[in-house]
Amino acid sequence: MSREEILRAIPHRPPFLFLDEIVEIDSDRILARKQVSPESDFFRGHYPHFPVMPGVLLCECCFQAGAVLIARRVGDKAMASGVPVVTRINDAKFRRMVRPGDVLSIEARIDDVLDEAYYLTGRINVEEAPVLRVGFACMLAKEESAGA
């Protein structure tokens, strides 16, 4: 799945798109990749002399991979009527820092679906070394008009 296909699947856009490509996808699991550019804007302030990718952005990588997985599962029509939003984060565990130039291997897996809520587990590795494990839930929120 190319970057263009990712852009068609989810509403996220640069500079807040944290997936470069989808390596594998099936009904319950997705594997994506992200090259962490040394030019990423967040490195200017986090931290200028010791750049580290913020943990919340690592979580966001998993959330976006999960959104693509849900989009694949529910189809274009359902995604057109809602926006994927995170409703819960559980047990985030960070194992190592992510530095400029690292290549993230991002996995999200659907563990359960109850009504319109999707419960997932996300994992990130760099060169087979664990970086993050996080449980999260999301659902499709109905888009409201700007005047509401």
Side-chain angles (χ1 to χ4, degrees), residues 9-11 76-85 139-143:
I10 60 176
D76 293 340
K77 186 175 181 181
M79 285 299 286
S81 66
V83 177
V85 295
M139 62 182 299
L140 295 178
K142 304 299 179 209
E143 291 188 65

Side-chain angles (χ1 to χ4, degrees), residues 3-19 60 64 68:
R3 188 172 175 103
E4 291 74 30
E5 292 171 302
I6 294 168
L7 290 170
R8 283 194 299 272
I10 60 176
H12 305 79
R13 295 293 178 264
F16 210 76
L17 180 65
F18 295 104
L19 304 175
E60 180 65 23
Q64 290 183 16
V68 172

Side-chain angles (χ1 to χ4, degrees), residues 8-142:
R8 283 194 299 272
I10 60 176
H12 305 79
R13 295 293 178 264
F16 210 76
L17 180 65
F18 295 104
L19 304 175
D20 292 335
E21 67 176 323
I22 305 304
V23 179
E24 298 174 22
I25 189 167
D26 62 33
S27 63
D28 294 324
R29 180 182 168 274
I30 187 170
L31 180 62
R33 196 171 289 134
K34 170 68 177 165
Q35 170 78 41
V36 181
S37 171
E39 303 305 314
S40 296
D41 196 47
F42 52 81
F43 285 134
R44 292 186 322 134
H46 197 269
Y47 303 100
H49 302 292
F50 189 76
V52 176
M53 187 169 181
V56 295
L57 296 182
L58 293 170
C59 290
E60 180 65 23
C61 293
C62 291
F63 303 159
Q64 290 183 16
V68 172
L69 182 59
I70 291 168
R72 168 65 71 91
R73 189 168 173 146
V74 302
D76 293 340
K77 186 175 181 181
M79 285 299 286
S81 66
V83 177
V85 295
V86 172
T87 59
R88 180 182 300 166
I89 300 171
N90 296 322
D91 302 322
K93 294 183 175 96
F94 300 93
R95 306 279 187 211
R96 78 184 279 277
M97 291 180 286
V98 171
R99 305 295 307 270
D102 283 345
V103 177
L104 306 180
S105 178
I106 306 157
E107 178 185 21
R109 182 179 305 271
I110 296 175
D111 300 320
D112 201 4
V113 180
L114 297 172
D115 293 324
E116 296 180 11
Y118 293 82
Y119 296 86
L120 301 96
T121 299
R123 288 183 172 79
I124 296 179
N125 291 332
V126 171
E127 296 179 2
E128 306 296 321
V131 170
L132 166 69
R133 182 186 179 286
V134 61
F136 61 102
C138 49
M139 62 182 299
L140 295 178
K142 304 299 179 209

